[in-house]
Amino acid sequence: MTQREVVSFIEALALANPNASSELVFTNAYTLLVSVVLSAQATDVSVNKATVGLFADAPDPATMVRLGEDGVARHIRTIGLWRAKAKNVVALSQVLIDRHGGEVPSDRLSLEALPGVGRKTANVVLNVVFGESTMAVDTHILRLGNRTGLAPGATPRAVEDQLVKRIPRDMLRPSHHWLILHGRYVCKARAPECWHCVGRPYCHYPDKRLEPV
DNA sequence: ATCCCGAGGG
DNA sequence: CCCTCTGGAT
């Protein structure tokens, strides 16, 4: 896809989704961070179902540590990978208390040092909470980037670097949400709905589905 | 059977 | 570079 087509594609997504935002339910930096940690290999809907009760019991790091792994696990057992996630959420909360005054740090190094937080989660927090122009590449963006030709790359990091390089700086931050929503609801993994895709003129996917099944 | 806003360990 | 962790929706 040419540079001009990349910009046209992103502009079309912007028009189609003027107020795109995260679909995770959160009220502050801490609840966003925990929600994103819980969202690995899980849908936002299932995460939100579990966090209602979790954050009612433990809205901050101190209460989360007090709740403990078993207490957290009770709330999130409906989400995949719940054992590791319960452990990480408690450990991460303890680190926030010990090293960051109970607050969520605003730099990548500190974020990625938290248990259960890798590059993708750090990028989401930096983008949503701290207003940075990061591009968090999840399964949707990895698929969409390769399928459409927008950002070919074998790994999330390769796709991230492509997107950062090709999307104009002033569009990069909101592009994260535009791309995720497009991947989730239009450029879907199983049956992409190309018939109402605004990126169709630029997309390289050879098997465009031009009408509903 | 495949997929979902991955990370850590070997 | 694997592999494992994990459950609900489709």
PDB file of all heavy atoms in Angstrom, chain A residues 117-142:
ATOM      1  N   VAL A 117       2.845  -6.976  32.668  1.00  0.00           N
ATOM      2  CA  VAL A 117       2.788  -5.862  31.717  1.00  0.00           C
ATOM      3  C   VAL A 117       3.930  -5.968  30.715  1.00  0.00           C
ATOM      4  O   VAL A 117       5.094  -5.910  31.085  1.00  0.00           O
ATOM      5  CB  VAL A 117       2.865  -4.505  32.431  1.00  0.00           C
ATOM      6  CG1 VAL A 117       2.849  -3.362  31.423  1.00  0.00           C
ATOM      7  CG2 VAL A 117       1.733  -4.363  33.429  1.00  0.00           C
ATOM      8  N   GLY A 118       3.588  -6.141  29.441  1.00  0.00           N
ATOM      9  CA  GLY A 118       4.577  -6.171  28.371  1.00  0.00           C
ATOM     10  C   GLY A 118       4.434  -4.934  27.510  1.00  0.00           C
ATOM     11  O   GLY A 118       3.772  -3.960  27.892  1.00  0.00           O
ATOM     12  N   ARG A 119       5.021  -4.964  26.364  1.00  0.00           N
ATOM     13  CA  ARG A 119       5.020  -3.795  25.491  1.00  0.00           C
ATOM     14  C   ARG A 119       3.619  -3.373  25.060  1.00  0.00           C
ATOM     15  O   ARG A 119       3.297  -2.186  25.021  1.00  0.00           O
ATOM     16  CB  ARG A 119       5.862  -4.074  24.243  1.00  0.00           C
ATOM     17  CG  ARG A 119       6.001  -2.852  23.374  1.00  0.00           C
ATOM     18  CD  ARG A 119       6.911  -3.043  22.189  1.00  0.00           C
ATOM     19  NE  ARG A 119       7.012  -1.797  21.447  1.00  0.00           N
ATOM     20  CZ  ARG A 119       7.897  -0.845  21.720  1.00  0.00           C
ATOM     21  NH1 ARG A 119       8.770  -1.013  22.680  1.00  0.00           N
ATOM     22  NH2 ARG A 119       7.910   0.270  21.023  1.00  0.00           N
ATOM     23  N   LYS A 120       2.787  -4.327  24.741  1.00  0.00           N
ATOM     24  CA  LYS A 120       1.445  -4.005  24.265  1.00  0.00           C
ATOM     25  C   LYS A 120       0.635  -3.294  25.344  1.00  0.00           C
ATOM     26  O   LYS A 120       0.008  -2.254  25.092  1.00  0.00           O
ATOM     27  CB  LYS A 120       0.734  -5.278  23.795  1.00  0.00           C
ATOM     28  CG  LYS A 120      -0.628  -5.046  23.198  1.00  0.00           C
ATOM     29  CD  LYS A 120      -1.683  -5.295  24.217  1.00  0.00           C
ATOM     30  CE  LYS A 120      -3.046  -4.872  23.673  1.00  0.00           C
ATOM     31  NZ  LYS A 120      -4.093  -5.114  24.677  1.00  0.00           N
ATOM     32  N   THR A 121       0.630  -3.829  26.556  1.00  0.00           N
ATOM     33  CA  THR A 121      -0.119  -3.222  27.653  1.00  0.00           C
ATOM     34  C   THR A 121       0.441  -1.841  27.988  1.00  0.00           C
ATOM     35  O   THR A 121      -0.317  -0.892  28.201  1.00  0.00           O
ATOM     36  CB  THR A 121      -0.069  -4.127  28.898  1.00  0.00           C
ATOM     37  OG1 THR A 121      -0.656  -5.392  28.558  1.00  0.00           O
ATOM     38  CG2 THR A 121      -0.824  -3.524  30.056  1.00  0.00           C
ATOM     39  N   ALA A 122       1.760  -1.722  27.997  1.00  0.00           N
ATOM     40  CA  ALA A 122       2.386  -0.419  28.270  1.00  0.00           C
ATOM     41  C   ALA A 122       1.952   0.598  27.213  1.00  0.00           C
ATOM     42  O   ALA A 122       1.643   1.746  27.543  1.00  0.00           O
ATOM     43  CB  ALA A 122       3.902  -0.565  28.282  1.00  0.00           C
ATOM     44  N   ASN A 123       1.915   0.177  25.963  1.00  0.00           N
ATOM     45  CA  ASN A 123       1.504   1.086  24.898  1.00  0.00           C
ATOM     46  C   ASN A 123       0.064   1.567  25.075  1.00  0.00           C
ATOM     47  O   ASN A 123      -0.242   2.728  24.799  1.00  0.00           O
ATOM     48  CB  ASN A 123       1.643   0.400  23.535  1.00  0.00           C
ATOM     49  CG  ASN A 123       3.053   0.515  22.987  1.00  0.00           C
ATOM     50  OD1 ASN A 123       3.789   1.432  23.322  1.00  0.00           O
ATOM     51  ND2 ASN A 123       3.437  -0.430  22.136  1.00  0.00           N
ATOM     52  N   VAL A 124      -0.826   0.689  25.515  1.00  0.00           N
ATOM     53  CA  VAL A 124      -2.216   1.087  25.747  1.00  0.00           C
ATOM     54  C   VAL A 124      -2.288   2.131  26.858  1.00  0.00           C
ATOM     55  O   VAL A 124      -2.955   3.163  26.722  1.00  0.00           O
ATOM     56  CB  VAL A 124      -3.105  -0.123  26.113  1.00  0.00           C
ATOM     57  CG1 VAL A 124      -4.504   0.340  26.486  1.00  0.00           C
ATOM     58  CG2 VAL A 124      -3.173  -1.111  24.966  1.00  0.00           C
ATOM     59  N   VAL A 125      -1.594   1.889  27.961  1.00  0.00           N
ATOM     60  CA  VAL A 125      -1.628   2.824  29.091  1.00  0.00           C
ATOM     61  C   VAL A 125      -1.030   4.170  28.685  1.00  0.00           C
ATOM     62  O   VAL A 125      -1.590   5.227  28.990  1.00  0.00           O
ATOM     63  CB  VAL A 125      -0.878   2.235  30.304  1.00  0.00           C
ATOM     64  CG1 VAL A 125      -0.744   3.272  31.414  1.00  0.00           C
ATOM     65  CG2 VAL A 125      -1.607   0.998  30.821  1.00  0.00           C
ATOM     66  N   LEU A 126       0.098   4.133  27.993  1.00  0.00           N
ATOM     67  CA  LEU A 126       0.735   5.383  27.564  1.00  0.00           C
ATOM     68  C   LEU A 126      -0.184   6.170  26.642  1.00  0.00           C
ATOM     69  O   LEU A 126      -0.277   7.396  26.722  1.00  0.00           O
ATOM     70  CB  LEU A 126       2.057   5.072  26.854  1.00  0.00           C
ATOM     71  CG  LEU A 126       3.184   4.559  27.760  1.00  0.00           C
ATOM     72  CD1 LEU A 126       4.365   4.076  26.935  1.00  0.00           C
ATOM     73  CD2 LEU A 126       3.626   5.648  28.739  1.00  0.00           C
ATOM     74  N   ASN A 127      -0.884   5.476  25.775  1.00  0.00           N
ATOM     75  CA  ASN A 127      -1.782   6.120  24.820  1.00  0.00           C
ATOM     76  C   ASN A 127      -3.027   6.674  25.510  1.00  0.00           C
ATOM     77  O   ASN A 127      -3.325   7.863  25.402  1.00  0.00           O
ATOM     78  CB  ASN A 127      -2.180   5.093  23.749  1.00  0.00           C
ATOM     79  CG  ASN A 127      -3.078   5.674  22.668  1.00  0.00           C
ATOM     80  OD1 ASN A 127      -4.115   6.264  22.959  1.00  0.00           O
ATOM     81  ND2 ASN A 127      -2.679   5.492  21.425  1.00  0.00           N
ATOM     82  N   VAL A 128      -3.736   5.836  26.244  1.00  0.00           N
ATOM     83  CA  VAL A 128      -5.048   6.193  26.783  1.00  0.00           C
ATOM     84  C   VAL A 128      -4.929   7.115  28.001  1.00  0.00           C
ATOM     85  O   VAL A 128      -5.686   8.073  28.124  1.00  0.00           O
ATOM     86  CB  VAL A 128      -5.838   4.918  27.146  1.00  0.00           C
ATOM     87  CG1 VAL A 128      -7.143   5.270  27.846  1.00  0.00           C
ATOM     88  CG2 VAL A 128      -6.088   4.084  25.895  1.00  0.00           C
ATOM     89  N   VAL A 129      -3.996   6.803  28.887  1.00  0.00           N
ATOM     90  CA  VAL A 129      -3.893   7.575  30.134  1.00  0.00           C
ATOM     91  C   VAL A 129      -2.995   8.793  29.995  1.00  0.00           C
ATOM     92  O   VAL A 129      -3.326   9.870  30.471  1.00  0.00           O
ATOM     93  CB  VAL A 129      -3.350   6.691  31.278  1.00  0.00           C
ATOM     94  CG1 VAL A 129      -3.191   7.504  32.558  1.00  0.00           C
ATOM     95  CG2 VAL A 129      -4.278   5.503  31.515  1.00  0.00           C
ATOM     96  N   PHE A 130      -1.856   8.617  29.327  1.00  0.00           N
ATOM     97  CA  PHE A 130      -0.858   9.688  29.314  1.00  0.00           C
ATOM     98  C   PHE A 130      -0.766  10.431  27.990  1.00  0.00           C
ATOM     99  O   PHE A 130       0.121  11.271  27.792  1.00  0.00           O
ATOM    100  CB  PHE A 130       0.499   9.127  29.738  1.00  0.00           C
ATOM    101  CG  PHE A 130       0.497   8.575  31.134  1.00  0.00           C
ATOM    102  CD1 PHE A 130       0.581   7.213  31.367  1.00  0.00           C
ATOM    103  CD2 PHE A 130       0.360   9.431  32.220  1.00  0.00           C
ATOM    104  CE1 PHE A 130       0.553   6.701  32.666  1.00  0.00           C
ATOM    105  CE2 PHE A 130       0.327   8.932  33.521  1.00  0.00           C
ATOM    106  CZ  PHE A 130       0.423   7.566  33.743  1.00  0.00           C
ATOM    107  N   GLY A 131      -1.673  10.119  27.069  1.00  0.00           N
ATOM    108  CA  GLY A 131      -1.778  10.917  25.856  1.00  0.00           C
ATOM    109  C   GLY A 131      -0.625  10.788  24.894  1.00  0.00           C
ATOM    110  O   GLY A 131      -0.412  11.667  24.046  1.00  0.00           O
ATOM    111  N   GLU A 132       0.136   9.716  24.992  1.00  0.00           N
ATOM    112  CA  GLU A 132       1.271   9.554  24.081  1.00  0.00           C
ATOM    113  C   GLU A 132       0.835   8.917  22.764  1.00  0.00           C
ATOM    114  O   GLU A 132      -0.134   8.177  22.694  1.00  0.00           O
ATOM    115  CB  GLU A 132       2.354   8.693  24.754  1.00  0.00           C
ATOM    116  CG  GLU A 132       3.021   9.420  25.903  1.00  0.00           C
ATOM    117  CD  GLU A 132       4.340   8.770  26.289  1.00  0.00           C
ATOM    118  OE1 GLU A 132       4.958   8.111  25.434  1.00  0.00           O
ATOM    119  OE2 GLU A 132       4.726   8.919  27.453  1.00  0.00           O
ATOM    120  N   SER A 133       1.608   9.205  21.729  1.00  0.00           N
ATOM    121  CA  SER A 133       1.281   8.680  20.398  1.00  0.00           C
ATOM    122  C   SER A 133       1.897   7.297  20.199  1.00  0.00           C
ATOM    123  O   SER A 133       2.726   7.089  19.328  1.00  0.00           O
ATOM    124  CB  SER A 133       1.777   9.646  19.320  1.00  0.00           C
ATOM    125  OG  SER A 133       1.085  10.865  19.433  1.00  0.00           O
ATOM    126  N   THR A 134       1.468   6.348  21.019  1.00  0.00           N
ATOM    127  CA  THR A 134       1.939   4.974  20.883  1.00  0.00           C
ATOM    128  C   THR A 134       0.956   4.154  20.064  1.00  0.00           C
ATOM    129  O   THR A 134      -0.205   4.521  19.912  1.00  0.00           O
ATOM    130  CB  THR A 134       2.081   4.309  22.259  1.00  0.00           C
ATOM    131  OG1 THR A 134       0.821   4.374  22.925  1.00  0.00           O
ATOM    132  CG2 THR A 134       3.142   5.013  23.098  1.00  0.00           C
ATOM    133  N   MET A 135       1.423   3.041  19.515  1.00  0.00           N
ATOM    134  CA  MET A 135       0.557   2.132  18.770  1.00  0.00           C
ATOM    135  C   MET A 135       0.648   0.743  19.388  1.00  0.00           C
ATOM    136  O   MET A 135       1.638   0.039  19.222  1.00  0.00           O
ATOM    137  CB  MET A 135       0.991   2.090  17.296  1.00  0.00           C
ATOM    138  CG  MET A 135       0.219   1.107  16.440  1.00  0.00           C
ATOM    139  SD  MET A 135      -1.572   1.316  16.456  1.00  0.00           S
ATOM    140  CE  MET A 135      -1.747   2.926  15.690  1.00  0.00           C
ATOM    141  N   ALA A 136      -0.370   0.382  20.160  1.00  0.00           N
ATOM    142  CA  ALA A 136      -0.417  -0.943  20.778  1.00  0.00           C
ATOM    143  C   ALA A 136      -0.973  -1.942  19.769  1.00  0.00           C
ATOM    144  O   ALA A 136      -2.093  -1.805  19.306  1.00  0.00           O
ATOM    145  CB  ALA A 136      -1.300  -0.914  22.025  1.00  0.00           C
ATOM    146  N   VAL A 137      -0.175  -2.916  19.407  1.00  0.00           N
ATOM    147  CA  VAL A 137      -0.602  -3.891  18.399  1.00  0.00           C
ATOM    148  C   VAL A 137      -1.135  -5.149  19.072  1.00  0.00           C
ATOM    149  O   VAL A 137      -0.376  -5.919  19.652  1.00  0.00           O
ATOM    150  CB  VAL A 137       0.561  -4.242  17.452  1.00  0.00           C
ATOM    151  CG1 VAL A 137       0.140  -5.328  16.483  1.00  0.00           C
ATOM    152  CG2 VAL A 137       1.013  -3.002  16.703  1.00  0.00           C
ATOM    153  N   ASP A 138      -2.429  -5.325  18.984  1.00  0.00           N
ATOM    154  CA  ASP A 138      -3.075  -6.527  19.511  1.00  0.00           C
ATOM    155  C   ASP A 138      -3.367  -7.474  18.349  1.00  0.00           C
ATOM    156  O   ASP A 138      -2.945  -7.246  17.224  1.00  0.00           O
ATOM    157  CB  ASP A 138      -4.364  -6.146  20.243  1.00  0.00           C
ATOM    158  CG  ASP A 138      -5.409  -5.633  19.282  1.00  0.00           C
ATOM    159  OD1 ASP A 138      -5.040  -5.195  18.183  1.00  0.00           O
ATOM    160  OD2 ASP A 138      -6.596  -5.676  19.609  1.00  0.00           O
ATOM    161  N   THR A 139      -4.096  -8.539  18.639  1.00  0.00           N
ATOM    162  CA  THR A 139      -4.380  -9.531  17.606  1.00  0.00           C
ATOM    163  C   THR A 139      -5.146  -8.931  16.421  1.00  0.00           C
ATOM    164  O   THR A 139      -4.928  -9.308  15.274  1.00  0.00           O
ATOM    165  CB  THR A 139      -5.161 -10.718  18.204  1.00  0.00           C
ATOM    166  OG1 THR A 139      -5.443 -11.653  17.182  1.00  0.00           O
ATOM    167  CG2 THR A 139      -6.453 -10.277  18.864  1.00  0.00           C
ATOM    168  N   HIS A 140      -6.026  -7.952  16.700  1.00  0.00           N
ATOM    169  CA  HIS A 140      -6.808  -7.335  15.624  1.00  0.00           C
ATOM    170  C   HIS A 140      -5.911  -6.538  14.676  1.00  0.00           C
ATOM    171  O   HIS A 140      -6.021  -6.653  13.462  1.00  0.00           O
ATOM    172  CB  HIS A 140      -7.875  -6.402  16.207  1.00  0.00           C
ATOM    173  CG  HIS A 140      -8.926  -7.105  16.990  1.00  0.00           C
ATOM    174  ND1 HIS A 140      -9.764  -8.043  16.447  1.00  0.00           N
ATOM    175  CD2 HIS A 140      -9.266  -7.007  18.285  1.00  0.00           C
ATOM    176  CE1 HIS A 140     -10.593  -8.490  17.380  1.00  0.00           C
ATOM    177  NE2 HIS A 140     -10.307  -7.877  18.505  1.00  0.00           N
ATOM    178  N   ILE A 141      -5.056  -5.726  15.255  1.00  0.00           N
ATOM    179  CA  ILE A 141      -4.217  -4.860  14.428  1.00  0.00           C
ATOM    180  C   ILE A 141      -3.172  -5.682  13.687  1.00  0.00           C
ATOM    181  O   ILE A 141      -2.835  -5.383  12.535  1.00  0.00           O
ATOM    182  CB  ILE A 141      -3.579  -3.748  15.294  1.00  0.00           C
ATOM    183  CG1 ILE A 141      -4.694  -2.869  15.874  1.00  0.00           C
ATOM    184  CG2 ILE A 141      -2.613  -2.909  14.467  1.00  0.00           C
ATOM    185  CD1 ILE A 141      -4.197  -1.643  16.619  1.00  0.00           C
ATOM    186  N   LEU A 142      -2.662  -6.736  14.313  1.00  0.00           N
ATOM    187  CA  LEU A 142      -1.718  -7.617  13.633  1.00  0.00           C
ATOM    188  C   LEU A 142      -2.362  -8.232  12.388  1.00  0.00           C
ATOM    189  O   LEU A 142      -1.773  -8.252  11.304  1.00  0.00           O
ATOM    190  CB  LEU A 142      -1.262  -8.727  14.578  1.00  0.00           C
ATOM    191  CG  LEU A 142      -0.202  -9.669  14.021  1.00  0.00           C
ATOM    192  CD1 LEU A 142       1.135  -8.953  13.898  1.00  0.00           C
ATOM    193  CD2 LEU A 142      -0.045 -10.907  14.896  1.00  0.00           C
TER     194      LEU A 142
END
